Amino acid sequence: MNLAILSREPKSYSTQRLVVAAQARGHDAQVIDHLQCSLVLERGQPDIIYQGRPLARPDAIIPRIGASVTFYGTAVVRQFEMMKVRTAVDSQAIVRSRDKLRSTQILSRAGVGMPKTAFANFTDDVPALIEHVGGAPVIIKLLEGTQGLGVVLAESAKAAQSVIEAFHNLKARILVQEFIAEAKGADVRAFVVNGEVVGAMRRQGKEGEFRSNLHRGGVGKLVKLSRAEKAAALLATKALGLGVAGVDMLQSQRGPLVLEVNSSPGLEGIEKATGLDIAGQIIDYTAALAERKRKAKPKKSAPDSAAD
C-alpha cells in the first residue's frame, strides 16, 4: 500500500513510529505537510497540489492534525475523501472531537458518563453557573485549549467567579466543569483503534498539579481497564465516529467519567507505558481500509457525503 501521513512534524515520535511501522509491513509511507497542500476544486475532479506539483493519490491517509490548524487540516482530509482516498480518521469526526462543546453534547446524548458541565453565552449569572456543576471547586476550560493549556482549577466560588468574568471580558468561550476530587490528579487514557481498546495507561500529574497531561509533566504507567472503563471508551469513540482515538477518563465514585476524546493522540506515552506496537495497529487498520476499497465493486457515481 501507498500510505500518506498528514503531519507538520516529520521528526516527531508519533510520525516516525508510523513511518517505521508501515515500512516494516512492506508499505510505502510518505509524510505530507497538510499546510503545504493546495486544494483544486473542479467539477468532478477534486485534486491536491503539493509543493507545486499534483499529488499522486495514496491508497489511504493517516491524519495527524494539530489543534491550531484544525480548519485547514480537516479541509485537506475532506479533499482526500472527495478523491475517494480512505482515511483512518474521517474529517467530520476530527471536527466533532475538536469542538469541546459539540463533543460534550454528542457524548451526553449517547449516554456517556462525564463530569457535570455547563456552558453559557457570556452570562452575568456566574454564581448559578457554578452551582449547576455542584459548586466550587470547579474546572474552567477554554473551548480551544489543548494538552492541558487553557484549563484552570478554581478552588473557591469567588475565585471561579473572577476567572469566569475575566474570560468573558476577553470574549473567550469557556466550559465550567465539575471537579472530581477522588481522581487525585490522575486520569486514564484508553487508546482505541477500529472499535477496540488496544492499550491503556494511567497518567498521574506531578505533585501539586491537577492536570495529568504528559505535556504538563505527568507520568504514564500501564493500567488494566475495568469493563466499565472499556465500555465508556468504546461508546465515546463510536459516538464521535473516530477510527483512532485517545479517550481520557477520570476514575470516580460513580464510575468512569470521560473528559475528552482526542482524534490525534500521541503515541510516545502510550507505547512506552504499555510496551505495545500501537503504531503498527494503526497501520494495519489503515491498510485494511484501503484493501477493502480495492476489493469493492465499482458503483455508480453519487454525491460524496463528505461534501455535507
Side-chain angles (χ1 to χ4, degrees):
M1 295 292 177
N2 294 315
L3 306 180
I5 301 162
L6 305 188
S7 174
R8 297 185 62 202
E9 300 178 356
K11 295 183 179 180
S12 71
Y13 179 95
S14 296
T15 303
Q16 285 295 305
R17 281 289 297 119
L18 289 168
V19 170
V20 170
Q23 292 173 343
R25 287 159 172 77
H27 305 302
D28 291 328
Q30 178 185 9
V31 179
I32 294 174
D33 183 345
H34 36 283
L35 291 193
Q36 294 187 32
C37 291
S38 298
L39 313 183
V40 178
L41 306 171
E42 183 181 356
R43 181 179 179 180
Q45 296 182 357
D47 205 354
I48 294 176
I49 306 298
Y50 184 60
Q51 296 179 338
R53 296 182 179 181
L55 180 68
R57 297 189 184 190
D59 294 306
I61 62 170
I62 301 173
R64 300 286 307 174
I65 308 298
S68 62
V69 294
T70 297
F71 176 81
Y72 197 81
T74 52
V76 173
V77 176
R78 191 160 53 246
Q79 188 80 350
F80 276 109
E81 292 169 343
M82 293 291 194
M83 296 162 61
K84 308 300 182 184
V85 175
R86 292 298 179 93
T87 174
V89 185
D90 294 341
S91 60
Q92 285 304 308
I94 298 173
V95 171
R96 290 188 205 105
S97 66
R98 284 288 161 75
D99 184 332
K100 283 189 174 66
L101 177 58
R102 184 179 180 187
S103 62
T104 301
Q105 290 173 317
I106 293 171
L107 296 178
S108 174
R109 180 181 62 189
V112 176
M114 64 183 72
K116 295 177 184 177
T117 304
F119 173 80
N121 187 35
F122 310 131
T123 180
D124 292 328
D125 195 3
V126 174
L129 197 65
I130 297 170
E131 287 305 313
H132 282 320
V133 299
V138 296
I139 301 294
I140 302 166
K141 294 182 176 181
L142 284 172
L143 288 183
E144 297 81 12
T146 61
Q147 298 177 350
L149 297 174
V151 180
V152 177
L153 169 63
E155 296 187 353
S156 68
K158 185 175 181 180
Q161 182 159 347
S162 296
V163 172
I164 293 170
E165 289 176 349
F167 278 136
H168 281 177
N169 288 335
L170 294 171
K171 307 300 182 185
R173 305 284 185 176
I174 60 168
L175 293 176
V176 180
Q177 199 165 70
E178 172 189 14
F179 176 65
I180 308 300
E182 61 265 31
K184 299 180 179 179
D187 71 7
V188 170
R189 166 161 286 189
F191 211 104
V192 179
V193 179
N194 191 24
E196 294 185 12
V197 176
V198 296
M201 64 178 172
R202 177 182 170 87
R203 304 185 303 180
Q204 178 67 58
K206 61 183 181 181
E207 187 175 354
E209 175 61 76
F210 72 96
R211 296 167 296 183
S212 59
N213 306 70
L214 302 186
H215 290 87
R216 307 266 71 80
V219 177
K221 294 183 178 180
L222 175 67
V223 69
K224 183 177 180 180
L225 298 183
S226 67
R227 288 185 179 181
E229 288 165 343
K230 284 185 178 180
L234 295 178
L235 180 58
T237 305
K238 182 179 180 181
L240 294 173
L242 291 165
V244 176
V247 183
D248 298 338
M249 300 175 285
L250 294 179
Q251 296 173 314
S252 79
Q253 295 173 353
R254 60 179 190 267
L257 303 177
V258 172
L259 287 174
E260 186 175 3
V261 184
N262 193 323
S263 59
S264 295
L267 299 179
E268 185 171 9
I270 191 71
E271 289 198 334
K272 289 184 176 180
T274 64
L276 298 173
D277 180 13
I278 304 295
Q281 300 203 47
I282 295 173
I283 294 297
D284 290 341
Y285 166 58
T286 307
L289 289 175
E291 183 63 25
R292 285 202 295 268
K293 180 189 173 185
R294 284 184 178 182
K295 293 180 178 180
K297 294 180 180 179
K299 296 180 179 180
K300 294 181 180 180
S301 59
D304 196 314
S305 62
D308 297 335

